[in-house]
Amino acid sequence: MHNLLTDIAGVRVGHADDAELASGVTAVVFDRPAVAAMDVRGGAPGTREGGLLDLVNMVERIDAIALSGGSAFGLEAGGGVQAWLAEQGRGFQARSAIVPIVPGAICFDLLNGGNKKWGRFAPYRDLGYVAAAAAGTSFALGSVGAGLGANTANLKGGLGSASAQTPDGVKVAALAVVNAVGTVTVGDGPWFWAAPFEVDDEYGGRGLPAAFTPDMLKMRVKGGPAATPSENTTLAVVVTDAVLTKNQAKRLAMMAQTGFARAIYPVHAPTDGDVVFAASTGGRQIDPLIGLTELGMVAANVMARAIARGIYAATALAVPGALPSWRDRFG
């Protein structure tokens, strides 16, 4: 276990980003089609193939997931991931046609100081292709890929990941791109809201403050009163090696959203587009009631840890007025 999404066998992750653009793409690629579902809790989502993942619809398995900055422009990243998969002969087969199935979601990073004057066509399709081609079992955290341009209300955002096992040995792991309207840390201090779930000082081991003051609990949001519906969003993927149906994957995504509430304050706001994709690579049988309940419980903990790790590993953008990183502030 390396505390990464790729601790689940058959899952690979790749990044592509552009420092001048201050934005990028992260591709999650499955070696074999994975059962998947999606849960959206934010009030301003931007998704690709969301209808396909609806429980009433036919296709149950996906080939990859594309996460991107760029707001709605970033939805083109899925086309780049799809193009790479098509070159590998991967996809849903309908007689002689093969169509790679690539859901995706975007976060807004257009106002972070990067150069977004890209001309007629946005670069996200090409970044998606490069991210998919780069996918492997080891990948960086922090200000990389879809997390390069991310910010929170008070600190630089980023991309994090974490993993765990249930007592029966079923694995579950999460990856999160943290561009939330709220904060991942408590007040003006170094403490993470997700501190109770930290493992082996993976985000600094600072614990929680001795007491919570009213100032710590007041609302801090990106943009303050001028916050707009499209400036934010946390994107996440949770994957397990348990055998799940599409309905059960949906339940896992819903339970994993609890990790957002444990790590971000406030969360699921009208100005967020928070979304969780849940996928099963299918290898270990679990009880459909107690087993799934335990898996969802652990998934929520893992999600909270992944979110905190994304902030802990982030580095500030090299642009005027950039938000500081957690390490800049607290060392």
Side-chain angles (χ1 to χ4, degrees):
M1 300 282 282
H2 296 92
N3 211 18
L4 297 172
L5 188 74
T6 49
D7 286 333
I8 309 300
V11 181
R12 291 178 289 123
V13 173
H15 302 310
D17 48 52
D18 183 321
E20 183 180 357
L21 181 71
S23 187
V25 173
T26 295
V28 177
V29 179
F30 300 100
D31 290 345
R32 295 185 299 171
V35 173
M38 177 180 73
D39 186 60
V40 178
R41 298 287 172 93
T47 60
R48 166 193 163 102
E49 296 279 34
L52 176 146
L53 292 174
D54 192 293
L55 300 184
V56 301
N57 291 331
M58 178 186 69
V59 175
E60 293 193 346
R61 296 177 182 270
I62 65 174
D63 298 294
I65 297 169
L67 307 177
S68 180
S71 188
F73 296 103
L75 290 174
E76 293 186 2
V81 177
Q82 191 175 48
W84 183 84
L85 287 164
E87 290 179 351
Q88 316 310 309
R90 291 279 313 276
F92 178 83
Q93 189 150 5
R95 290 193 288 176
S96 61
I98 298 177
V99 182
I101 305 299
V102 186
I106 50 86
C107 62
F108 185 101
D109 59 6
L110 299 181
L111 300 177
N112 61 11
N115 180 12
K116 306 303 193 295
K117 297 185 183 300
W118 48 62
R120 177 169 293 176
F121 298 111
Y124 292 98
R125 184 180 67 174
D126 291 338
L127 288 170
Y129 182 94
V130 173
T137 56
S138 178
F139 60 95
L141 303 183
S143 300
V144 292
L148 174 62
N151 285 313
T152 68
N154 61 339
L155 294 172
K156 177 69 178 73
L159 181 145
S161 191
S163 65
Q165 296 185 70
T166 70
D168 292 333
V170 176
K171 293 180 181 178
V172 61
L175 179 150
V177 177
V178 190
N179 187 54
V181 69
T183 67
V184 178
T185 53
V186 180
D188 296 320
W191 315 283
F192 286 94
W193 292 106
F197 308 98
E198 186 174 12
V199 176
D200 295 333
D201 294 343
E202 62 192 337
Y203 33 93
R206 299 297 184 96
L208 288 172
F212 286 86
T213 66
D215 181 68
M216 291 175 181
L217 297 176
K218 75 179 183 181
M219 186 171 74
R220 290 170 168 82
V221 294
K222 192 187 301 179
T228 62
S230 50
E231 291 187 24
N232 315 294
T233 294
T234 297
L235 313 175
V237 178
V238 59
V239 184
T240 179
D241 62 359
V243 177
L244 299 181
T245 64
K246 191 175 181 180
N247 281 36
Q248 290 170 327
K250 172 73 171 184
R251 178 57 56 184
L252 181 64
M254 293 170 66
M255 295 182 75
Q257 287 270 17
T258 306
F260 280 40
R262 293 172 178 169
I264 303 169
Y265 185 87
V267 72
H268 301 148
T271 52
D272 276 316
D274 299 334
V275 57
V276 172
F277 297 96
S280 161
T281 60
R284 301 179 67 93
Q285 296 288 340
I286 62 170
D287 180 86
L289 298 179
I290 297 301
L292 183 58
T293 299
E294 183 175 51
L295 183 64
M297 176 188 73
V298 176
N301 297 346
V302 166
M303 185 65 72
R305 293 166 49 210
I307 290 169
R309 291 191 81 201
I311 304 304
Y312 181 69
T315 53
L317 292 173
V319 297
L323 280 174
S325 70
W326 186 94
R327 294 175 190 271
D328 290 337
R329 289 281 305 277
F330 307 113

